[in-house]
Amino acid sequence: MKPPPFQYHDPKTVAEAVGLLGRLENAKLLAGGQSLMPMLNMRFVLPDHVVDLNRVEGLSYIKEAGGALEIGAMTRQRDIEYSDLVKSKCPLLHQAVMHIGHRQTRNRGTIGGSLCHLDPAAELVSVAAAHDATVVVEGPNGRREIAFGDFPVAFMTPSIELNEIVVALRLTLWAAGHKAAFIEFSRRHGDFAIVSAAVLLEIGGGKISRASVTIGGVAVAPYRARDLEQAITGQAASADLFRKACEGLRAIEAIEDVHASSSYRQHLAAVLSRRALEKAAGLADNAPWNRVH
């Protein structure tokens, strides 16, 4: 298959790219191309203009600042995978990125591209939800910040204007020594998850003092299990506690498609969240996490 005809633009600065978006009709941004190029080839999208961000300066970096991990939108997933800063400060992100596609796709795929594509089963999208991230965008009126909870407005639709560009993601860091676990169930390694579970825990004095549980792939956006988080906070971590607390996820409203029924996704949500909690709390063995029972 071949893409439809379009005009190609190669800006060198964010301001130049924003200007192009402001004056061009029916333009699409090209970041890593791991989603856009297949959709162009299959003619799911038919842009008149493609604006390539790969030569734009200052959009690829990983740094710690103000109690947060900030990652430039054009940072490759492979760079995140090999970042010692990510591994030490944000282990959930490090675990999650290992599930993304294959080495070839991680070499090109970017964190900003994944956020803007906003597939509810995407690993980086779930990590952003788990960490209460902030998305930084830039448009003709300058920069603004969007809490990730407000970022998805519909299925695969972010809350950015047509003349705005995502320039960074800021992940609020948890306390040193916190626990993290990311697991998912997919048909094949490298596929998008049918359902995933992302867990963050802080444990002190034998009890859970803080918890974050995010389920990916069950709804049009990642699902933060707030009731579950509240139920386990202040409790001593145990397999029995997690099993009982996670059973409530069998009642969440789950999507249904050709890959899985809503009831199967509900089952996966309960099972995978329990397993992720057990893994984060150090209660699990090293059994393969792609089995579901």
Side-chain angles (χ1 to χ4, degrees), residues 64-146:
E64 182 182 1
L69 186 70
E70 185 170 313
I71 305 175
M74 286 298 293
T75 304
R76 307 292 174 183
Q77 295 158 1
R78 190 73 163 166
D79 293 332
I80 295 170
E81 178 182 344
Y82 278 92
S83 168
D84 290 334
L85 183 60
V86 169
K87 188 180 295 186
S88 63
K89 297 291 186 177
C90 193
L92 181 67
L93 176 57
H94 176 72
Q95 292 183 41
V97 80
M98 302 300 292
H99 292 272
I100 299 174
H102 303 278
R103 180 181 302 175
Q104 294 87 340
T105 55
R106 294 196 296 273
N107 282 342
R108 295 298 304 168
T110 65
I111 191 166
S114 180
L115 290 174
C116 290
H117 189 58
L118 208 57
D119 190 303
E123 292 84 0
L124 296 178
V125 174
S126 287
V127 171
H131 269 277
D132 297 306
T134 299
V135 182
V136 184
V137 304
E138 186 165 337
N141 297 320
R143 292 198 173 192
R144 68 185 181 102
E145 298 183 353
I146 307 171

Side-chain angles (χ1 to χ4, degrees), residues 4-9 19-30 36 40 43-51 162-163:
F6 56 80
Q7 291 189 8
Y8 174 80
H9 304 268
L20 287 169
L21 292 180
R23 69 173 185 268
L24 298 176
E25 293 289 337
N26 190 26
K28 282 287 185 182
L29 292 174
L30 172 64
L36 179 60
L40 284 172
R43 305 210 173 192
F44 288 156
V45 294
L46 303 169
D48 295 316
H49 303 271
V50 170
V51 179
L162 293 177
N163 57 357

Side-chain angles (χ1 to χ4, degrees), residues 67 88-91 131 172-180 200-203 209-210:
S88 63
K89 297 291 186 177
C90 193
H131 269 277
T172 304
L173 294 177
W174 281 42
H178 74 275
K179 310 300 182 182
L200 295 165
L201 293 177
E202 289 181 8
I203 301 176
S209 58
R210 188 182 179 191

Side-chain angles (χ1 to χ4, degrees), residues 151-200:
F151 192 62
V153 294
F155 180 67
M156 298 177 73
T157 306
S159 57
I160 58 177
E161 302 298 328
L162 293 177
N163 57 357
E164 289 183 320
I165 296 173
V166 171
V167 294
L169 177 71
R170 190 177 302 127
L171 298 167
T172 304
L173 294 177
W174 281 42
H178 74 275
K179 310 300 182 182
F182 186 96
I183 62 175
E184 68 178 40
F185 181 81
S186 58
R187 296 183 67 182
R188 298 170 300 182
H189 173 69
D191 285 2
F192 276 119
I194 294 176
V195 171
S196 66
V199 165
L200 295 165

